[in-house]
Amino acid sequence: MAYPFQLGLQDASSPIMEELMNFHDHTLMIVFLISSLVLYIITLMLTTKLTHTNTMDAQEVETIWTILPAVILIMIALPSLRILYMMDEINNPALTVKTMGHQWYWSYEYTDYEDLSFDSYMTPTSDLKPGELRLLEVDNRMVLPMELPIRMLTSSEDVLHSWAVPSLGLKTDAIPGRLNQMTISSNRPGLFYGQCSEICGSNHSFMPIVLEMVPLKVFEDWSLSMT
């Protein structure tokens, strides 16, 4: 959950989000070093009148500033590709959930159960209880077991939507006529909030997502009470 005036990313609650945060820090450090070097060179050029002719014409310098950017790009590309393949990898999911986007609410269907599906609407401000978050609470939360790989199938009934939960590193477009899939896995129990991240009409701002990760025993009890 983000807090006011937060500058960084939300705390990671899944292995994928931890990898994304490490990659963010890795890339940011490279950008910082390049920016510092460029600023240092510009400062030297503006503050000194001396010119080293051998340096200006040296073949070695041209070789370095051609090869070095290529090396830096490889240092960024390899970790990025690794994370992309990790995000697409789905190994023996314990559960499959189908998410459908509508204007302007979400519907969830647990395909491993015969009759377990529901719609999730934003809770109106007038119905909020003490401690609940405005524009982020829903009437029916999606409940999932923690520490298990879960396959999420995402599509839409009308226009483009995007199902996103930042603290779990999840963001998948919901496209009419197409199924997109992703893997959900959480290291710890808790409530994780998200919103539709694709402009989908006048009430786009009112499509919150609340994901409740619980121990497996609690999830089984909840599924029995819903069916």
Side-chain angles (χ1 to χ4, degrees):
M1 180 66 195
Y3 55 84
F5 304 106
Q6 180 175 345
L7 296 179
L9 302 173
Q10 296 184 23
D11 292 339
S13 299
S14 68
I16 291 296
M17 189 58 190
E18 290 177 359
E19 294 287 342
L20 288 172
M21 292 183 71
N22 290 335
F23 176 68
H24 170 268
D25 296 341
H26 166 74
T27 309
L28 194 63
M29 183 56 65
I30 293 176
V31 172
F32 175 75
L33 292 175
I34 293 174
S35 302
S36 301
L37 178 61
V38 171
L39 181 62
Y40 174 70
I41 294 174
I42 291 175
T43 303
L44 287 182
M45 293 177 64
L46 294 177
T47 55
T48 180
K49 296 181 181 179
L50 299 177
T51 302
H52 198 298
T53 55
N54 291 334
T55 302
M56 298 297 291
D57 298 331
Q59 199 75 7
E60 293 81 2
V61 175
E62 294 185 9
T63 304
I64 291 173
W65 72 41
T66 301
I67 295 177
L68 191 59
V71 173
I72 293 173
L73 290 176
I74 292 173
M75 291 174 62
I76 295 175
L78 291 180
S80 175
L81 290 173
R82 173 176 169 271
I83 296 175
L84 282 175
Y85 280 105
M86 287 177 61
M87 294 176 69
D88 285 338
E89 193 74 22
I90 298 180
N91 291 320
N92 299 323
L95 187 68
T96 299
V97 181
K98 185 170 72 174
T99 302
M100 299 296 293
H102 307 265
Q103 289 181 311
W104 287 271
Y105 65 96
W106 298 99
S107 62
Y108 302 105
E109 178 183 349
Y110 292 71
T111 58
D112 297 281
Y113 296 81
E114 289 186 2
D115 188 20
L116 181 51
S117 61
F118 53 85
D119 297 330
S120 180
Y121 290 85
M122 185 190 75
T123 304
T125 304
S126 58
D127 296 339
L128 288 176
K129 299 176 183 178
E132 292 186 338
L133 302 170
R134 177 177 171 271
L135 301 182
L136 286 177
E137 293 293 344
V138 296
D139 56 355
N140 291 310
R141 296 170 175 170
M142 183 171 68
V143 181
L144 293 174
M146 56 178 284
E147 296 180 336
L148 288 176
I150 300 163
R151 177 170 54 194
M152 171 75 76
L153 302 176
T154 310
S155 187
S156 172
E157 288 280 359
D158 36 53
V159 299
L160 290 176
H161 300 280
S162 184
W163 199 89
V165 180
S167 58
L168 294 176
L170 302 174
K171 186 177 186 297
T172 301
D173 288 340
I175 303 171
R178 175 174 177 172
L179 274 180
N180 288 330
Q181 71 175 8
M182 58 182 169
T183 304
I184 300 176
S185 180
S186 175
N187 297 331
R188 55 188 173 88
L191 288 178
F192 305 100
Y193 293 89
Q195 289 177 304
C196 177
S197 299
E198 188 77 45
I199 296 177
C200 55
S202 58
N203 289 335
H204 158 69
S205 303
F206 310 115
M207 287 184 64
I209 300 162
V210 182
L211 179 56
E212 184 175 355
M213 305 299 293
V214 297
L216 181 59
K217 182 63 171 65
V218 177
F219 172 77
E220 291 175 344
D221 295 340
W222 173 83
S223 62
L224 290 174
S225 66
M226 293 290 290
T227 53

